Amino acid sequence: MTKLSREPPRPTSSGKMTKRERTRREILAAAIQVMSERGAAQAVVHEIAVRANVTTGTFYNHFRGKAEIVEAVAGWFSVSMMDQADEARAAMTTGTERMVDGCQRYLSIARESPKTALLVLELAMASPTMLKTIGEFVLADVRLGVRQKEFTIFGEQAAVDLVEGYVMLAMRVIALQRPPASYEHSVVATILQGLGVSSQRAAALSGGKV
Amino acid sequence: MTKLSREPPRPTSSGKMTKRERTRREILAAAIQVMSERGAAQAVVHEIAVRANVTTGTFYNHFRGKAEIVEAVAGWFSVSMMDQADEARAAMTTGTERMVDGCQRYLSIARESPKTALLVLELAMASPTMLKTIGEFVLADVRLGVRQKEFTIFGEQAAVDLVEGYVMLAMRVIALQRPPASYEHSVVATILQGLGVSSQRAAALSGGKV
Amino acid sequence: MTKLSREPPRPTSSGKMTKRERTRREILAAAIQVMSERGAAQAVVHEIAVRANVTTGTFYNHFRGKAEIVEAVAGWFSVSMMDQADEARAAMTTGTERMVDGCQRYLSIARESPKTALLVLELAMASPTMLKTIGEFVLADVRLGVRQKEFTIFGEQAAVDLVEGYVMLAMRVIALQRPPASYEHSVVATILQGLGVSSQRAAALSGGKV
Amino acid sequence: MTKLSREPPRPTSSGKMTKRERTRREILAAAIQVMSERGAAQAVVHEIAVRANVTTGTFYNHFRGKAEIVEAVAGWFSVSMMDQADEARAAMTTGTERMVDGCQRYLSIARESPKTALLVLELAMASPTMLKTIGEFVLADVRLGVRQKEFTIFGEQAAVDLVEGYVMLAMRVIALQRPPASYEHSVVATILQGLGVSSQRAAALSGGKV
DNA sequence: GATGAATGAGTTTTCATTCAT
DNA sequence: AATGAATGAAAACTCATTCAT
């Protein structure tokens, strides 16, 4: 379902890219690959360069250092995951609906690409930006749900953190332990319940038997 | 409130310790210190040894390598945090009560010793054991609450992961962003609600205004 | 007093410069800037190019490599410092007078532009040309003074080296330690004495109380 | 005459050295070798280590980095050159005599070991300590000469800088241009004259025909 | 002549681990 | 059991220089 395209795509407008831009993308793609395999902390600049068919020197022409490529990868994931979501969610009008969709998207990354999911988790812990970016989307949905009287919460930050913290651990569990598919539904139902949705509605809306 | 004893003593039964055992403890204590300051990944074996007043050689007489000391520290935290909790919680008989207490303990570590909290989080992500150990305690409380009809959950694993994942992120937020003290209460209330406790009861039981 | 013009202009005869020549000057000017800031050894070709508003490629169209730009900067300083001196010194007829003026000029560079002075010193040590060029001027003054029976020396090379060696260290001292202004006078008087001028005359001619 | 022993000797008291101390000396000796060949700035840590029959790791166990070994070499030269001088000069009682001896020592290093001399010069420019250390000895002799009414100077710092600056350039000239041996005498005579000794006495005391 | 992306060898530095004493 | 000197494999980063366009 949720698919994280393997390379950093989007020629934006459409057509041409400068050579510089093209190289940058190749390095970014290579970095995502290597980091998925070894983890961001263990990723070695030299290997990223080789994978991108480029020398280390070129790498440093495009990124100031390792920290910067990590940030870039984190940024790419933030944007890329949101972009895809945004299209599909244009039609969704209730906070609940959007929340369910958002959580499921993240959980299915873990189901479909465990390595990628673990990388996202590592990046989220390392780069402050990522959680913040995602948190803004979550917050929007939380507010929508509250306005629609579907959610009863004890503070916006606490609500957002519930979603982020829980989903992250659930992703980890899915990636590492491969629980049965029903796990995702239980998680979503639990989140809804945590946001003040009644048990029955939560179960019903979570999209599966729990 | 929750206090993490600074050194890892506990002569267990009571009496004497062999010299070997004593040295081991000193190394462990030093490791906790250094890791709290720099993080587990950045901790340098040599510095741990120096802090423990031993040589690197001695370090390797006691621990097979860095991975092992990290595991040891993780293990010590798991046990130590539970030990303290256990005493205080002997008198608590409802799942809700125990759950509230447990969560608050962890959150107050973050409030009182941010560095330590961040270390615990790092260890939890790195060492599979830690989450498992803690999870067992959480699971016990969850089951108790369910039996007592206080909790309505969508699966035991989902419930445990809610608690663990959420509390971990909340610890991070507390350690890094120092939100007002009411944050902890909101978190606890949200957890209870996620476990199926009614909004009113959750607010009341969480021990503060939310 | 002594002013080192900031940019390396001098259209020589007067009129037009080819674009090539103009670019070369801009690079040279940029090189002087960068080297003054970081020192010649630490100056980075890329930064020189950027400062000159050209690309590295262009840099290499004008200079064979880093060694050559260093030489060029050294050469520019040699010529530029002498040029200015020459005008002012046209009227000076005694060796002593000229010697005093020459030394003061160099010392005041250190007083007014410590960074520039340190660069000149670095270049003088690195590029054999510079000391030789300056040495010829010094030698002329020494010979003049000897012919006029004002100097009593023990060999021309020894006399020239006295002036060059001493002035260079004095420049360094001035640039780095900022001694009181009387230091320059003491230095000049000492040089004169070293060239055989009597103590009284040396003090009087050095242009200040010593 | 002046001989700079090739290795960093002096077991100080006499007998044993710890292994650590022995290794340190070997690294220091290797560093002196390599720096003499390539210059201090061009010396590569790895080569120093290899030359000392040690790995780079060991190098870094003994010196914090390249800057520190440069300082150590500078320090060794300062001490070593002074040590030798001190013995020989115990019997010298006049400032003039001591000054002549001191200058000749340095000049003969350049004559006998040009590479070493150039290294000393590089170190003197790079490490502030070296000139300061040597300057103290020079100052002592200057003061002695002044007290004995042999020197007439225009300030102590100016006098010391005359000696240091001039001798350094003379060393360079000797090392690079190999002038006839009489050059050294001319230099010494010029220095004495610069310190206020009469031309005749200067010539006589400088120890050779000038 | 200018561009500027790419090169890649070179250098410093770090640290977990070993092992002879 | 302890010592602590030595190891050596990594790894990040720099920068003078080249060359296709």
Side-chain angles (χ1 to χ4, degrees):
Chain A
M1 184 171 290
T2 294
K3 241 290 247 28
L4 235 36
S5 33
R6 207 64 321 162
E7 68 286 281
R10 284 160 306 117
T12 301
S13 50
S14 69
K16 279 293 158 47
M17 270 192 287
T18 64
K19 176 161 202 191
R20 182 168 183 79
E21 183 61 12
R22 211 157 48 243
T23 304
R24 189 191 152 87
R25 302 251 168 134
E26 265 149 30
I27 294 172
L28 191 56
I32 293 170
Q33 251 188 52
V34 173
M35 289 184 190
S36 292
E37 289 168 20
R38 306 215 188 310
Q42 264 52 44
V44 169
V45 168
H46 181 72
E47 191 180 353
I48 294 173
V50 167
R51 224 49 103 82
N53 287 316
V54 148
T55 58
T56 36
T58 299
F59 174 93
Y60 281 93
N61 278 340
H62 288 268
F63 297 93
R64 209 158 316 143
K66 196 182 167 181
E68 195 166 302
I69 187 81
V70 170
E71 266 305 308
V73 170
W76 180 78
F77 271 116
S78 304
V79 171
S80 151
M81 293 187 302
M82 289 309 158
D83 275 6
Q84 298 196 332
D86 265 8
E87 301 168 22
R89 296 166 71 193
M92 304 184 184
T93 54
T94 71
T96 311
E97 199 178 14
R98 297 177 72 88
M99 182 65 70
V100 169
D101 176 76
C103 294
Q104 278 172 345
R105 272 172 199 284
Y106 279 92
L107 298 177
S108 55
I109 292 172
R111 186 64 76 178
E112 290 160 23
S113 324
K115 298 257 189 183
T116 303
L118 293 173
L119 172 56
V120 169
L121 295 176
E122 188 186 352
L123 293 172
M125 297 318 272
S127 139
T129 326
M130 199 168 190
L131 272 187
K132 210 159 195 175
T133 306
I134 297 171
E136 282 163 23
F137 288 80
V138 176
L139 179 57
D141 294 349
V142 165
R143 284 179 172 158
L144 183 58
V146 170
R147 267 204 310 281
Q148 297 168 336
K149 302 271 184 346
E150 298 206 282
F151 296 163
T152 308
I153 65 174
F154 303 94
E156 290 184 339
Q157 166 122 49
V160 170
D161 293 345
L162 158 71
V163 177
E164 288 191 331
Y166 188 11
V167 168
M168 285 202 302
L169 183 56
M171 286 174 74
R172 202 178 134 91
V173 168
I174 293 170
L176 293 178
Q177 299 170 22
R178 321 296 303 160
S182 65
Y183 177 74
E184 277 91 320
H185 298 299
S186 303
V187 168
V188 172
T190 306
I191 287 174
L192 291 182
Q193 181 165 270
L195 294 172
V197 175
S198 77
S199 179
Q200 292 76 9
R201 265 187 67 76
L205 291 165
S206 70
K209 63 172 181 307
V210 294
Chain B
M1 182 172 292
T2 295
K3 232 309 241 13
L4 236 36
S5 33
R6 209 63 318 163
E7 66 288 279
R10 284 160 307 113
T12 301
S13 49
S14 70
K16 278 293 162 43
M17 265 192 292
T18 65
K19 183 175 199 327
R20 179 167 183 80
E21 183 60 12
R22 210 160 46 244
T23 303
R24 188 190 155 87
R25 302 250 166 136
E26 265 149 28
I27 294 172
L28 191 56
I32 292 169
Q33 252 190 50
V34 173
M35 289 184 190
S36 291
E37 290 168 19
R38 306 215 189 310
Q42 314 312 330
V44 171
V45 169
H46 181 72
E47 191 180 353
I48 294 172
V50 167
R51 287 270 192 121
N53 289 313
V54 293
T55 58
T56 11
T58 301
F59 174 93
Y60 280 90
N61 279 334
H62 287 268
F63 297 92
R64 191 120 13 107
K66 192 180 172 182
E68 196 168 303
I69 187 80
V70 170
E71 266 305 310
V73 170
W76 180 77
F77 270 116
S78 307
V79 172
S80 151
M81 293 187 301
M82 288 311 158
D83 274 4
Q84 297 198 330
D86 265 9
E87 300 169 23
R89 294 166 72 193
M92 302 183 185
T93 53
T94 72
T96 310
E97 199 177 15
R98 299 176 70 87
M99 182 64 69
V100 169
D101 177 76
C103 293
Q104 279 172 344
R105 273 172 200 284
Y106 279 92
L107 297 177
S108 54
I109 292 173
R111 188 62 77 176
E112 290 160 22
S113 324
K115 296 253 188 187
T116 305
L118 292 173
L119 172 58
V120 170
L121 295 176
E122 186 186 352
L123 293 172
M125 298 317 275
S127 136
T129 326
M130 198 168 191
L131 274 187
K132 211 158 196 175
T133 306
I134 297 170
E136 282 164 24
F137 288 80
V138 177
L139 180 55
D141 293 349
V142 165
R143 284 180 172 158
L144 182 58
V146 169
R147 269 204 309 279
Q148 297 168 333
K149 300 273 184 340
E150 299 205 281
F151 295 164
T152 309
I153 64 173
F154 304 94
E156 290 184 339
Q157 165 121 50
V160 170
D161 292 344
L162 159 71
V163 177
E164 289 191 329
Y166 189 11
V167 168
M168 286 202 301
L169 183 55
M171 286 174 73
R172 202 179 135 91
V173 168
I174 293 169
L176 294 178
Q177 301 170 22
R178 321 297 302 163
S182 64
Y183 177 73
E184 276 92 321
H185 298 300
S186 302
V187 169
V188 172
T190 305
I191 287 174
L192 290 182
Q193 181 165 268
L195 293 172
V197 175
S198 77
S199 179
Q200 291 78 7
R201 266 186 68 75
L205 291 166
S206 68
K209 62 172 181 305
V210 293
Chain C
M1 183 171 290
T2 294
K3 240 294 247 21
L4 234 37
S5 33
R6 210 69 310 168
E7 67 288 280
R10 283 159 310 112
T12 300
S13 49
S14 70
K16 280 292 161 44
M17 266 192 292
T18 66
K19 182 175 200 326
R20 180 167 182 78
E21 182 61 11
R22 210 160 46 246
T23 304
R24 188 191 155 86
R25 303 250 167 138
E26 265 149 28
I27 294 172
L28 191 56
I32 292 169
Q33 252 188 50
V34 174
M35 289 185 189
S36 291
E37 289 167 21
R38 306 214 189 312
Q42 315 311 330
V44 172
V45 169
H46 181 74
E47 192 181 352
I48 294 172
V50 167
R51 287 270 192 120
N53 289 312
V54 293
T55 57
T56 10
T58 301
F59 174 93
Y60 280 90
N61 279 334
H62 287 268
F63 297 92
R64 191 113 22 101
K66 192 181 171 181
E68 196 167 302
I69 187 80
V70 170
E71 266 305 309
V73 170
W76 180 78
F77 270 117
S78 306
V79 171
S80 150
M81 292 188 300
M82 288 310 157
D83 275 5
Q84 298 197 329
D86 265 9
E87 302 168 21
R89 295 165 72 194
M92 302 183 187
T93 55
T94 72
T96 310
E97 200 179 11
R98 297 177 72 88
M99 182 65 68
V100 169
D101 177 76
C103 294
Q104 279 172 344
R105 272 171 200 285
Y106 279 91
L107 297 178
S108 55
I109 294 172
R111 187 62 77 176
E112 290 161 23
S113 326
K115 296 254 190 188
T116 305
L118 292 173
L119 172 57
V120 169
L121 294 177
E122 187 186 352
L123 293 171
M125 297 318 275
S127 136
T129 326
M130 198 168 192
L131 273 187
K132 212 159 193 175
T133 306
I134 297 171
E136 282 164 23
F137 287 79
V138 176
L139 179 55
D141 294 349
V142 164
R143 283 180 172 158
L144 182 57
V146 168
R147 268 204 310 282
Q148 296 169 333
K149 300 275 179 350
E150 297 205 284
F151 295 163
T152 307
I153 65 174
F154 303 94
E156 289 184 338
Q157 165 120 51
V160 170
D161 293 345
L162 159 72
V163 177
E164 289 191 332
Y166 188 11
V167 168
M168 287 201 301
L169 183 55
M171 286 174 74
R172 203 178 135 91
V173 167
I174 293 169
L176 295 178
Q177 301 170 20
R178 320 297 303 162
S182 64
Y183 177 74
E184 277 92 321
H185 298 300
S186 301
V187 167
V188 172
T190 305
I191 287 174
L192 291 182
Q193 182 166 267
L195 293 172
V197 176
S198 77
S199 178
Q200 291 78 9
R201 265 186 68 75
L205 291 166
S206 70
K209 63 171 180 305
V210 295
Chain D
M1 186 172 290
T2 295
K3 239 295 244 25
L4 237 36
S5 32
R6 208 71 312 170
E7 68 285 279
R10 283 160 307 117
T12 301
S13 49
S14 68
K16 280 295 161 42
M17 270 192 289
T18 65
K19 177 163 200 183
R20 184 169 181 78
E21 183 62 11
R22 211 158 45 243
T23 304
R24 191 191 152 87
R25 301 249 169 136
E26 265 149 28
I27 294 172
L28 190 57
I32 293 170
Q33 250 188 53
V34 174
M35 289 184 190
S36 292
E37 288 167 21
R38 306 215 187 310
Q42 265 51 43
V44 170
V45 169
H46 180 73
E47 192 181 352
I48 294 173
V50 168
R51 220 56 100 79
N53 287 314
V54 149
T55 60
T56 38
T58 299
F59 175 93
Y60 280 91
N61 277 339
H62 288 268
F63 297 92
R64 209 160 315 145
K66 196 182 167 180
E68 195 166 301
I69 187 81
V70 170
E71 266 305 308
V73 170
W76 181 76
F77 271 117
S78 305
V79 171
S80 149
M81 293 187 301
M82 289 309 158
D83 275 5
Q84 298 196 331
D86 265 9
E87 301 168 22
R89 296 166 72 193
M92 303 184 187
T93 54
T94 72
T96 311
E97 199 178 14
R98 297 177 72 89
M99 182 65 70
V100 169
D101 178 76
C103 295
Q104 278 172 346
R105 271 171 200 285
Y106 279 92
L107 298 177
S108 53
I109 292 172
R111 187 62 78 176
E112 289 161 23
S113 325
K115 298 256 190 185
T116 305
L118 292 173
L119 172 57
V120 169
L121 293 177
E122 187 185 353
L123 294 172
M125 296 320 272
S127 139
T129 326
M130 199 169 189
L131 273 188
K132 212 160 194 175
T133 307
I134 297 172
E136 283 164 23
F137 287 82
V138 176
L139 180 57
D141 294 349
V142 164
R143 283 178 172 161
L144 183 58
V146 169
R147 269 205 309 281
Q148 296 170 334
K149 302 274 188 331
E150 298 205 282
F151 297 164
T152 308
I153 65 173
F154 304 95
E156 288 184 339
Q157 165 124 48
V160 169
D161 293 346
L162 159 72
V163 176
E164 288 191 331
Y166 188 11
V167 167
M168 286 202 301
L169 182 55
M171 285 174 75
R172 204 178 134 90
V173 167
I174 293 169
L176 293 177
Q177 300 169 21
R178 321 297 301 159
S182 64
Y183 177 75
E184 277 91 320
H185 298 299
S186 301
V187 168
V188 173
T190 304
I191 287 174
L192 291 182
Q193 182 165 269
L195 293 171
V197 175
S198 76
S199 179
Q200 292 76 10
R201 265 185 69 75
L205 290 165
S206 70
K209 60 173 180 308
V210 294

